[in-house]
Amino acid sequence: MSKPEIHASAVVAPEARLGANVKIGPFCTVGPDVDLGDGVELVSHVAVAGRTTVGARTKIFPFASIGHEPQDLKFRGEPSTLTIGKECLIREGVTMNPGTEGGGMATSVGDNCAFLANSHVGHDCHVGNNVIFSNNVMLAGHCTVGDYVIIGGGAAVIQFARVGPHAFVGGMSGLEHDLIPYGMALGNRAYLSGLNIIGLQ
């Protein structure tokens, strides 16, 4: 096992926990309560803060903001957490927030997920495994997203919504209700337009 590789311009708190083979690129910042698993890579200009755990071999691209204070005006600095699974891909400009007292104190993301550029995971959300968020997807607070869900570019999911496993939300859709497993939702105010036949197969 090799020691972490930390670029000279990165700012890493001495208290941060870094696994083997971690790579931290130029101009990254890592806070004191952060835990980066084995093989995690922060490409450059990544900011990881708060009580955040990042699973093994997850790769985070420039200008992602991970674990900073939730966008909830009721937040009062409670010691909430953000947990990200292993082997995730987090692209440029992605934001993920920890939980709040009103939502169980935790936000979680599963394994093998892909979050494309500028997508957002709100506070107190729980995202399953093998999920794909296309560019500019907005997930409001307190949402639950099942395994193998795909959300198209520019789509938005209202707070407290539940998206069932293997569901599909079309690009530019606004999901205002729960979506059944294997359901397909499309439209400006998204409606159940059919089933994810590919997922069923």
Side-chain angles (χ1 to χ4, degrees), residues 7 21 28 30 44 49 57 88 90 94 108 125 138 150 166 190:
H7 192 274
N21 304 305
C28 294
V30 178
S44 74
R57 297 175 299 282
C88 290
I90 299 174
V94 169
S108 63
C125 289
M138 298 168 284
I150 298 174
H166 295 272

Side-chain angles (χ1 to χ4, degrees), residues 40-181:
V40 167
E41 181 177 359
L42 311 182
V43 174
S44 74
H45 299 84
V46 176
V48 187
R51 294 166 176 81
T52 297
T53 299
V54 181
R57 297 175 299 282
T58 286
K59 187 172 184 179
I60 307 179
F61 282 76
F63 305 107
S65 174
I66 307 298
H68 290 85
E69 289 189 7
Q71 298 177 71
D72 184 338
L73 298 180
K74 300 183 297 298
F75 182 72
R76 294 294 180 266
E78 53 264 30
S80 57
T81 63
L82 168 64
T83 303
I84 300 169
K86 64 184 180 181
E87 297 179 349
C88 290
L89 181 67
I90 299 174
R91 294 300 308 230
E92 295 83 355
V94 169
T95 53
M96 296 185 179
N97 294 157
T100 65
E101 186 175 13
M105 295 287 285
T107 301
S108 63
V109 170
D111 301 332
N112 302 298
C113 295
F115 298 89
L116 303 189
N118 299 306
S119 54
H120 173 70
V121 177
H123 59 86
D124 303 295
C125 289
H126 299 286
V127 177
N129 301 313
N130 301 291
V131 169
I132 299 174
F133 281 23
S134 297
N135 291 24
N136 302 301
V137 167
M138 298 168 284
L139 188 66
H142 308 279
C143 293
T144 301
V145 177
D147 296 343
Y148 293 98
V149 167
I150 298 174
I151 303 181
V157 181
I158 197 169
Q159 61 266 28
F160 296 100
R162 298 171 294 176
V163 180
H166 295 272
F168 179 87
V169 180
M172 303 298 290
S173 296
L175 185 65
E176 294 183 318
H177 306 285
D178 294 347
L179 180 59
I180 62 172

